[in-house]
Amino acid sequence: MTISRWQVPEVQCSPRICRIRDHRIEDHDRSQIPHRDRVYREEFAKYPDEVAAMRFARGFSRFLAEKKIHLNEYDLLAGFAYRYTYNTTLPINMPSDYDPRYRPDFGVESAREAKECEEFHGLKPGDADYEKMETFSLAVKNWLFKHWESGHILPGYHTVVSKGYGALIREGEAALAKADAAHRPYVEAMLMCNRAASAYIRRYEALAAQLAEQAADPACKAQLQQIAQACGHIAEGVPQTFFEAVQLIWLTHELLYAENEPASISLGRLDQTLYPFYERDVAEGRLTYEEASDYIDALWIKFSANLHAYQNVTIGGMGRDGHFTANPVTYIILQATRRLRFDQPLISLRYNDDMPDPMWAECMALIKTGIGFPAFFYDGACIPAKLRMGIAEEDARNYGLIGCVEMGTPGKEYAKTEVLRINMPMILQLMMNHGRAALTGDLFPLKEEKDLDSIKSFEEFYAWYRSELLHFGGLAMDCINLLDESVMHYYPTPFLSVLMDQCYEKGLDVTGGGTVYNNSGVNLCGMANVVDSLSAIRKVVFEEKRVSLSQLAEAMQADYTGHEDLQNELTKHCPKFGNDLDAADDMMNEIVAGFAQLVDEYRNPRGGKFQLGLYSVEDHAKMGLRTGATPDGRNARVSLANALSPVQGRDQVGPTAVVNSVLKTDLRVATNGMVLDLKFNPSFLKSDRHMDALRDLIDTYFHSGGMEIQFNVVDRATLMDAQEHPEKHQNLVVRVSGFSAYFTTLMKTTQDEIIARTEYANM
Amino acid sequence: MDAAIPYISNLQRFSLDDGPGIRTTVFLKGCNLHCAWCHNPECMVAGATLQFIEASCTACGKCVSVCPQNVHTITEDGCHLLDRTRCIACGKCAYHCPHTALNLIGTLYQPEDLLQQILKDQKYYETSGGGVTFSGGEPMLHPAYLAQMLHMCREAGLHTAVDTAGCVPFSSFEAVLPWTNLFLYDIKLWDEGRHRAATGVSNRRILENLDTLTRAGADVYIRTPVIPSFNDDPETFRQIASFLASLPGRDHIRLIQLLPYHSYGVGKYASMGQSSRTAELQPPPEAFMQQALQLYLDLDLPAQIS
């Protein structure tokens, strides 16, 4: 056989890891969720006059003291993985048989938060801000906007690893001594959480010691002793070994899960955080590569319990000397992901031009599994984007990825990256229907109502769209700012604040601007549908005059039933984004640049800026499901385009054309990240020549202004079979947008969207 | 004077198997060989042709209503029948087909327009050491147009390749030689009779042209498809290998690619209203590929399985 230059060794889990992996589901315990909810409610009721931060701290502390902890005799790591994936600010009424698969709709949450916001600001009907908030609530219900507070953080795992909880307690005590009355309760709340964290780790120390006493198997006994010893060290002190550092990171993660919305609690540069411990242990003969691999595998199994949780791990990237840095832990992380093939954690590789070939080979081996990892981020684009936001050079160089693709500074940035998403095609649909949403009839007043047939030129229509986009974008950001102030009042996160730089010092909760960088995100969705729609309107309405705008509006309202010829014209015979056609692609740049200008002008109440994101998580499917027919020929309820990718199936001249189209937009404005997804048939990656070409494609893309790129390697037949026979494909992980997930757990609109993406096969 | 313009079936960007690096492959229609295993049957004829993908057809009948020639019939039980003898390749049905089941294959490009398309991926060629490849069909059937395009591409700084079966007067090679960096040259069979049976033509001129071409100093990749029941015998490969080794210009053979048969082209036959002669074939066994490869390596020839 011909030997591949990109051959890497096969990897498999050790027997002890297999055992943990195969029994992991047994550890999932849903009862934790209603238990936590009840404890918080009771503490809130007991202390009605305290500031929210204190009441939350009391709920957190009591929950940690009471919550069931669990360790199996064969475990490598202490910590209890409980599978909850709901998205909500606490507390809400959580039934005792709560099933995280049926989480509350975002709209329910946002409507409640909007009401609280009105109350907080004393807004009344007739007030301009009141009317805005009411429109906002209705827009969220219609998926014109999506609003999602909190979660999406890069806590300072490296901080607690380098300082230990004890030193943080002492920082808190010093801050308390200096704090004035206004800041005192916030520092107290943080301290209470900080001490609760230490006490919680002590509970595991005791449990592990007790189990070690009883353990019959000598290997298990030794491991339980190691856990007990580790917890003894890290309850207050700093980790002494690689294992202790891993243990501390997991327990800290678990503690964050006990407080925060369990979405996108991301790990930062884990290979950098862990490497000093690895290096020292190996040098002193305490650790082997294989043992370290087992610990990372065990950590991955803990992460895997949190489905759809966007727990992002960043690896690689520029070191202090400006060169790509990879260490054995970087390789272990890629191999652990390849061995286990879970959808969690998400792996993001910071790519540099001097990345060595063996690292590329390891990345390709993982890409070929089809699970969509790693996603590649180019330091040459991401670091300048952060610098543009006023992030200090040292912090910009140390960025990690939050959730999907959002760059943030670990432990220093609270950026609410998912707080707002705007459904761009729905704005176009509203313009064509006197401000009424096609599927609900709800009214959203336009900035400027126009008689469609009075519009004389495409330029006029195009200018109108951009103006309405700014109108709705501005309205949404105004409301996000109103919410920002009330949310920090109602939903503080004192434990997270302990792990974020400067919160103790400033005596401020992280939600109140306590840390160093305090930005807000605003993300666009359905961009390619808008570009294709405008391109179609230009050709069919204004150039060829086949129909008038009002006739097009009528066809859209009928969802193109009875207008199939027109739909065919719009779908097949107009320039589409993603085919390297300037007529379409240039509009993407103009629209994005125009919106970016507005975003640049906005400031939030925490002294931060707004950051623009060109990615869509799974919202392109969810928003599509609620959006009426659009002028690009798309039927109502069909998914919108994923992130900055072309409309599914509309890119017909290959990946270089897609990349060229995307590159015509100045991506430096995407300070909250962007996604470009390419889908390849597995047969494509069978030869070295093709793998070389993929690297050349990535290099060219990055050298020409690209920021992020990711790959799906799966064939359409497999996906269709998985839709038909989910039971046969329980382990099929695919890249959705800025994240991967088990295909069979996705909603059908999302599944259809992934199937419809253009697939590049053997060329 | 501008040359007569041939139909182009496809501009394949991000093409990775027609020469080094990332390339754009331009497929010119029309061929003077009719290889049984051809995987681009849509390029056999020089004119525009209608493709019909039955799997995408919903029998909606749109094509029936727009076709001026009555090519299309939808039967009562929902079968879509085509009378291709009536088709004038006007493309009306393809334009209106809402499901892209009907496509008109064949576009005419002015040389400047074609160049503009090719140049769109110039930065990928530069990163990867790629360029442009003219394939087909038999691109050498259009020597004037081809020479003009190659010349323009070279002027623009591109690496150029021509994928040919070599069965043309050598004067055609002379026309393109100054502007061609690399020839992808097919040697399909050794025995003349078997060659004639499989492709419809003798291989004598093909072998002579290769000799002349390499002696003229042109760089070539030799490509031999390995097709079960047509040429998968060791003797064929022994003969081809020793012929190549004996060429005075053998040093200009930069690479020899043995291409195992694949069935990707089979589905295309039905869509072109033709039947495939190799529908039942399986790819050759790996053991045979290795055996054939060894025959080249034994003669110190730069061969590989692609």
Side-chain angles (χ1 to χ4, degrees), chain A residues 403-537:
Chain A
C404 293
V405 294
E406 307 97 281
M407 299 84 75
T409 311
K412 287 187 176 182
E413 184 166 2
Y414 188 71
K416 295 200 177 191
T417 63
E418 272 291 308
V419 76
L420 176 63
R421 178 161 287 110
I422 295 171
N423 178 341
M424 289 174 69
M426 194 184 273
I427 294 171
L428 197 53
Q429 183 266 299
L430 294 174
M431 287 162 59
M432 300 292 281
N433 194 31
H434 310 289
R436 290 206 180 273
L439 301 184
T440 61
D442 286 337
L443 179 67
F444 297 92
L446 299 167
K447 184 182 179 200
E448 192 181 357
E449 174 83 30
K450 286 199 185 210
D451 170 10
L452 291 175
D453 290 334
S454 75
I455 297 170
K456 291 287 169 264
S457 67
F458 173 70
E459 286 64 35
E460 186 185 345
F461 185 85
Y462 184 34
W464 184 33
Y465 176 75
R466 285 183 289 168
S467 154
E468 293 295 341
L469 174 64
L470 297 186
H471 165 67
F472 281 101
L475 181 140
M477 285 190 279
D478 287 344
C479 292
I480 289 302
N481 277 343
L482 288 166
L483 278 157
D484 201 302
E485 292 178 81
S486 61
V487 162
M488 66 173 123
H489 176 78
Y490 289 104
Y491 304 107
T493 51
F495 177 66
L496 172 63
S497 304
V498 172
L499 298 179
M500 301 300 285
D501 285 11
Q502 295 185 2
C503 288
Y504 262 137
E505 209 177 308
K506 291 192 197 168
L508 268 182
D509 193 88
V510 70
T511 57
T515 193
V516 184
Y517 307 111
N518 298 285
N519 298 320
S520 302
V522 45
N523 304 309
L524 295 176
C525 187
M527 291 169 276
N529 298 95
V530 165
V531 169
D532 289 0
S533 291
L534 290 167
S535 158
I537 288 172

Side-chain angles (χ1 to χ4, degrees), chain A residues 392-403:
Chain A
E393 174 129 21
E394 190 191 1
D395 292 339
R397 282 188 169 203
N398 194 37
Y399 77 90
L401 283 309
I402 304 173

Side-chain angles (χ1 to χ4, degrees), chain B:
Chain B
M1 199 181 75
D2 280 351
I5 293 179
Y7 278 98
I8 285 167
S9 72
N10 189 18
L11 281 177
Q12 180 72 65
R13 293 167 70 172
F14 200 57
S15 173
L16 307 178
D17 299 308
D18 293 314
I22 296 175
R23 311 188 72 81
T24 293
T25 301
V26 181
F27 292 91
L28 278 67
K29 280 175 67 73
C31 195
N32 56 349
L33 270 63
H34 286 85
C35 307
W37 53 82
C38 179
H39 64 274
N40 287 331
E42 72 278 16
C43 288
M44 281 186 183
V45 295
T49 35
L50 185 66
Q51 182 191 45
F52 170 57
I53 303 165
E54 195 170 6
S56 302
C57 177
T58 63
C60 70
K62 190 75 202 172
C63 48
V64 178
S65 66
V66 298
C67 177
Q69 292 290 109
N70 298 322
V71 170
H72 305 278
T73 315
I74 305 288
T75 64
E76 273 176 27
D77 53 351
C79 257
H80 184 162
L81 303 178
L82 286 84
D83 180 359
R84 286 176 178 273
T85 59
R86 307 180 58 88
C87 180
I88 54 168
C90 68
K92 287 205 172 72
C93 60
Y95 187 94
H96 288 281
C97 174
H99 309 289
T100 324
L102 291 160
N103 299 293
L104 191 68
I105 308 283
T107 309
L108 298 170
Y109 286 92
Q110 291 298 330
E112 306 74 45
D113 297 338
L114 184 57
L115 179 68
Q116 206 188 358
Q117 293 297 320
I118 293 166
L119 288 178
K120 284 187 166 197
D121 281 353
Q122 191 162 15
K123 55 182 187 279
Y124 303 93
Y125 311 152
E126 284 165 7
T127 311
S128 67
V132 61
T133 298
F134 292 88
S135 180
E138 175 52 71
M140 297 287 284
L141 294 178
H142 316 279
Y145 181 83
L146 186 60
Q148 189 182 355
M149 282 314 310
L150 289 163
H151 188 175
M152 288 165 72
C153 289
R154 279 286 288 276
E155 295 273 292
L158 304 189
H159 177 273
T160 56
V162 173
D163 179 13
T164 178
C167 191
V168 292
F170 195 76
S171 60
S172 298
F173 280 100
E174 285 171 332
V176 302
L177 203 47
W179 321 114
T180 307
N181 290 102
L182 177 69
F183 289 90
L184 309 176
Y185 202 105
D186 284 10
I187 301 289
K188 302 167 197 288
L189 267 161
W190 179 254
D191 180 82
E192 189 186 352
R194 286 167 67 191
H195 194 279
R196 199 185 288 278
T199 71
V201 299
S202 156
N203 60 352
R204 188 154 300 172
R205 184 157 69 172
I206 295 171
L207 300 173
E208 280 169 14
N209 280 344
L210 180 62
D211 180 23
T212 319
L213 190 63
T214 47
R215 271 191 286 138
D219 281 346
V220 296
Y221 284 6
I222 302 295
R223 307 214 290 184
T224 301
V226 183
I227 317 288
S229 83
F230 285 91
N231 68 358
D232 63 337
D233 53 293
E235 193 49 29
T236 293
F237 288 87
R238 204 184 315 278
Q239 298 276 19
I240 293 174
S242 69
F243 166 71
L244 296 176
S246 73
L247 290 173
R250 72 172 270 183
D251 287 350
H252 290 285
I253 298 173
R254 301 293 172 184
L255 187 66
I256 298 166
Q257 295 179 302
L258 302 182
L259 312 165
Y261 172 78
H262 61 72
S263 55
Y264 305 142
V266 168
K268 287 188 186 173
Y269 281 86
S271 74
M272 304 308 297
Q274 304 167 19
S275 56
S276 166
R277 284 192 275 163
T278 57
E280 306 297 318
L281 292 188
Q282 296 298 313
E286 175 66 23
F288 179 76
M289 295 303 299
Q290 292 299 331
Q291 187 190 358
L293 176 66
Q294 198 55 48
L295 293 168
Y296 291 80
L297 299 180
D298 287 347
L299 296 173
D300 226 9
L301 289 163
Q304 61 170 226
I305 298 165
S306 286

Side-chain angles (χ1 to χ4, degrees), chain A residues 26-62:
Chain A
E26 295 158 18
D27 289 346
H28 296 176
D29 176 8
R30 296 200 313 231
S31 73
Q32 300 283 323
I33 302 163
H35 181 189
R36 184 180 76 143
D37 187 52
R38 180 172 53 76
V39 167
Y40 269 75
R41 285 177 173 285
E42 287 171 7
E43 292 301 305
F44 279 30
K46 263 193 253 172
Y47 301 94
D49 299 326
E50 290 189 347
V51 298
M54 275 303 291
R55 297 155 81 199
F56 272 84
R58 290 183 189 281
F60 180 75
S61 303
R62 198 184 122 197

Side-chain angles (χ1 to χ4, degrees), chain A residues 454-729:
Chain A
S454 75
I455 297 170
K456 291 287 169 264
S457 67
F458 173 70
E459 286 64 35
E460 186 185 345
F461 185 85
Y462 184 34
W464 184 33
Y465 176 75
R466 285 183 289 168
S467 154
E468 293 295 341
L469 174 64
L470 297 186
H471 165 67
F472 281 101
L475 181 140
M477 285 190 279
D478 287 344
C479 292
I480 289 302
N481 277 343
L482 288 166
L483 278 157
D484 201 302
E485 292 178 81
S486 61
V487 162
M488 66 173 123
H489 176 78
Y490 289 104
Y491 304 107
T493 51
F495 177 66
L496 172 63
S497 304
V498 172
L499 298 179
M500 301 300 285
D501 285 11
Q502 295 185 2
C503 288
Y504 262 137
E505 209 177 308
K506 291 192 197 168
L508 268 182
D509 193 88
V510 70
T511 57
T515 193
V516 184
Y517 307 111
N518 298 285
N519 298 320
S520 302
V522 45
N523 304 309
L524 295 176
C525 187
M527 291 169 276
N529 298 95
V530 165
V531 169
D532 289 0
S533 291
L534 290 167
S535 158
I537 288 172
R538 171 160 58 197
K539 180 159 184 274
V540 173
V541 176
F542 291 101
E543 286 174 5
E544 296 176 352
K545 303 191 195 310
R546 282 171 188 261
V547 290
S548 67
L549 268 180
S550 60
Q551 286 168 324
L552 173 59
E554 200 180 303
M556 285 164 60
Q557 200 56 34
D559 199 12
Y560 294 112
T561 305
H563 303 268
E564 286 78 10
D565 284 354
L566 175 59
Q567 187 179 20
N568 181 54
E569 207 57 47
L570 298 167
T571 312
K572 272 181 65 182
H573 300 294
C574 298
K576 303 289 180 189
F577 178 75
N579 294 287
D580 206 355
L581 300 168
D582 293 349
D585 303 339
D586 289 349
M587 279 196 282
M588 180 68 88
N589 186 36
E590 285 166 5
I591 292 169
V592 169
F595 194 78
Q597 225 170 355
L598 176 77
V599 171
D600 271 348
E601 290 165 11
Y602 264 77
R603 295 292 179 273
N604 69 25
R606 292 171 285 124
K609 297 177 180 174
F610 276 78
Q611 310 194 100
L612 177 60
L614 307 176
Y615 70 97
S616 55
V617 199
E618 201 181 349
D619 292 340
H620 48 283
K622 292 177 178 170
M623 287 181 157
L625 196 57
R626 279 86 171 182
T627 304
T630 41
D632 55 345
R634 171 190 151 280
N635 282 113
R637 299 185 179 82
V638 171
S639 174
L640 304 178
N642 168 25
L644 199 50
S645 297
V647 174
Q648 298 77 6
R650 295 279 172 264
D651 50 319
Q652 294 176 332
V653 281
T656 54
V658 173
V659 169
N660 285 356
S661 287
V662 166
L663 286 172
K664 287 175 206 169
T665 293
D666 182 352
L667 299 172
R668 288 174 299 183
V669 301
T671 48
N672 204 33
M674 52 118 352
V675 166
L676 172 60
D677 184 278
L678 297 179
K679 181 164 128 186
F680 288 93
N681 186 288
S683 66
F684 175 80
L685 288 177
K686 288 211 170 119
S687 80
D688 280 4
R689 208 167 51 245
H690 289 200
M691 282 191 263
D692 292 341
L694 198 60
R695 188 166 187 180
D696 290 330
L697 179 72
I698 292 174
D699 277 338
T700 311
Y701 166 66
F702 283 153
H703 292 167
S704 313
M707 183 181 268
E708 190 263 10
I709 193 165
Q710 59 185 42
F711 302 99
N712 255 302
V713 181
V714 61
D715 62 88
R716 185 162 289 140
T718 304
L719 296 176
M720 292 179 79
D721 194 57
Q723 210 172 31
E724 194 103 332
H725 308 286
E727 69 287 352
K728 290 197 300 190
H729 299 274

